Amino acid sequence: MKKGTLFIFSAPSGAGKSSLARALVDSSPDIAVSVSHTTRAPRPGEEHGVHYFFVTTEQFKSMADAGEFLEHAQVFDNFYGTSRVAIEDLLEQGKNVILDIDWQGARAIKAQMPDACAIFILPPSREELENRLRGRGQDSDEIIARRMRDAVSEMSHYQEFDYLVVNDDFDAALADLHAILTGHPEQARVPKLDMDQLLRE
């Protein structure tokens, strides 16, 4: 059996990477999403073991000390980690695995697994990103302002990734990602973005 490939998805909060990853999994039985561990509280509709493994800070630190994470990092005020065994098991089953992590985790994974393919998903503009964050109706103005500042920091690392995909149109972005995951990246659109505008403080 051919071993699967690990695909790293990174994006600023609100860019739509989780929705795109779910759609890819729904479209193919050969694609799986790695379920990370986190210490943050579940959002409405999230389920333990489906979206994340929700653990306490004490449980997380114990797992980290035991070397159970392929990578782990602090994002905002919470911890996130990727189970080493879970990833390796899926790859050995021939699954292409999508790992939804930030640029810090992507850098750590690429250092250990250089054959992993790193994809950065970008919003079409900062205005659209802010509109999506506000459209969730979950965060205060203060939190949204912080997420926008963190988005600029996150997007500044775009050059560390193998591919860029712009989520301006969901179906088009999904087609771009499908082309990359199936080994036909030449069929994906070439991103046309003003990165200076996206990264301007």
Side-chain angles (χ1 to χ4, degrees), residues 150-172:
D150 289 329
V152 172
S153 175
E154 183 91 12
M155 290 187 294
S156 70
H157 295 273
Y158 75 96
Q159 291 178 313
E160 299 180 27
F161 290 77
D162 300 307
Y163 298 100
L164 299 180
V165 170
V166 181
N167 187 14
D168 50 353
D169 175 270
F170 187 86
D171 289 338

Side-chain angles (χ1 to χ4, degrees), residues 12-13 75-76 103 143-156 201:
S13 180
V75 182
F76 302 126
W103 70 268
I143 291 177
I144 289 174
R146 184 177 74 170
R147 289 190 182 278
M148 288 300 296
R149 289 194 301 271
D150 289 329
V152 172
S153 175
E154 183 91 12
M155 290 187 294
S156 70
E201 290 286 357

Side-chain angles (χ1 to χ4, degrees), residues 37-39 55-69 72-74 77-81:
H37 289 70
T38 183
T39 59
V55 296
T56 65
T57 300
E58 292 73 22
Q59 288 173 319
F60 189 97
K61 289 182 176 179
S62 177
M63 293 177 68
D65 290 342
E68 295 182 32
F69 292 128
H72 61 89
Q74 184 171 0
D77 300 322
N78 299 295
F79 294 96
Y80 294 80

Side-chain angles (χ1 to χ4, degrees), residues 74-123:
Q74 184 171 0
V75 182
F76 302 126
D77 300 322
N78 299 295
F79 294 96
Y80 294 80
T82 303
S83 168
R84 183 185 304 274
V85 171
I87 292 286
E88 291 175 348
D89 284 350
L90 287 169
L91 293 175
E92 289 297 332
Q93 293 171 31
K95 298 276 190 179
N96 286 329
V97 181
I98 297 173
L99 180 55
D100 178 349
I101 52 176
D102 73 333
W103 70 268
Q104 298 174 31
R107 181 183 285 179
I109 294 290
K110 286 287 278 186
Q112 298 177 69
M113 303 176 69
D115 290 339
C117 177
I119 303 169
F120 199 89
I121 299 168
L122 289 159

